[in-house]
Amino acid sequence: MNMASVGILFLFFIVIRAQSEGKTFVKVECKTGNVGQYGQQSMLDCVVTTAEEIKDPKILAVAWKKKGSEDNSDKTLLVFHRGETTLQPGYRFAESSWNDRNMNISLLITNTMMVNNGDYKCLVMTDSGDEETETSLRVTAKYNKPTIRSIPEKITRRENVVLSCSSVGGYPEGELRWFDEHNKDWTASSEMEAELTKDGLFKLSSKLSLLKNSIFSKYTCVVFNSSGGKEDEVALEIPDTATSEGQEQRKVSDQSSKIVAPLVVIGSLIVGLLLALLILRWWSQRDHREVPTCESDAEQGGHVETYKECEDGTV
Ligand SMILES: *[C@@H]1O[C@H](CO)[C@@H](O)[C@H](O)[C@H]1NC(C)=O
Ligand SMILES: *[C@@H]1O[C@H](CO)[C@@H](O)[C@H](O)[C@H]1NC(C)=O
């Protein structure tokens, strides 16, 4: 080995040492567990930290990338290089007037969508070393107030009913549960489906079958998020009037003959009784009446009975 090759080896050694030491001079520290709400701003919170002996560090380049499912499908969202920042719409530095002396390189996502859910890479070059780190964003979306529909639409308790409840716009997958007016849980008798919609959010639908003879007066459909937190609910009241109305109508049509028959009997009894009373009265009046009054009574348009009485009296 001659001196030249020893020299090259030595140099090589120094370069490697410098690089590995450089890594310890510069670090990018990211907050773990970044959470974003669908439709709102979210932040990937990262700062560059340098060893104490480095005074006034300067950032030369920053690149924020969203990791794709494959390594080569990373999408570049923000690049700072040679004093210029290039951004994809909807992304910027969280610090509003960021410059190369600002170690807070947090990325702000202005309107969080489900596509923002996932892993990110952040590359930083400074005048005292380079660093690359990874962080992630977990996007959640709140479920909307559920809606209830019944089939058939009008609940009569003469036929079985299927209640269907649905809630859209949530993430991750949640759950719909059913309760009656006593807060008894009927979820076990229901069937739920979760469907991923185009915007990457879930639509939850649940069907609860009710037997005509065991329908309660109120059903509540509650939507819970993936961690079991209650998000919203909707109640369906089944009014008693609807029930009794239905029952009355049925009685009238089914049992009309049963009701009419006794009515006829009672009615004729009452009519007979009244007739008997009238006849009694007539007899008692006839005993005390004087005959001559009868003609004037008839002219004045008096009672038929009085007229008859007159006729009877004169015959
Ligand atoms: C970085 O800047 C953002 C926006 O000003 C701020 O909300 C965040 O707390 C900062 N991060 C750190 C670690 O200081
Ligand atoms: C679920 O709801 C609870 C209570 O409202 C909330 O604290 C939690 O962050 C929510 N979880 C998700 C994944 O949305």
Side-chain angles (χ1 to χ4, degrees), residues 68-84:
S69 43
E70 296 150 40
D71 275 348
N72 55 2
S73 62
D74 289 353
K75 191 183 167 210
T76 305
L77 308 171
L78 178 153
V79 173
F80 169 79
H81 185 53
R82 293 175 201 248
E84 270 185 41

Side-chain angles (χ1 to χ4, degrees), residues 48-99:
V48 179
T49 57
T50 49
E52 259 179 48
E53 55 266 41
I54 296 171
K55 299 277 176 272
D56 213 8
K58 188 178 173 194
I59 292 174
L60 305 174
V62 177
W64 271 104
K65 294 180 180 191
K66 169 87 164 64
K67 277 176 83 174
S69 43
E70 296 150 40
D71 275 348
N72 55 2
S73 62
D74 289 353
K75 191 183 167 210
T76 305
L77 308 171
L78 178 153
V79 173
F80 169 79
H81 185 53
R82 293 175 201 248
E84 270 185 41
T85 310
T86 323
L87 312 162
Q88 288 292 316
Y91 303 90
R92 58 177 175 87
F93 280 115
E95 292 278 87
S96 47
S97 48
W98 186 87
N99 62 59

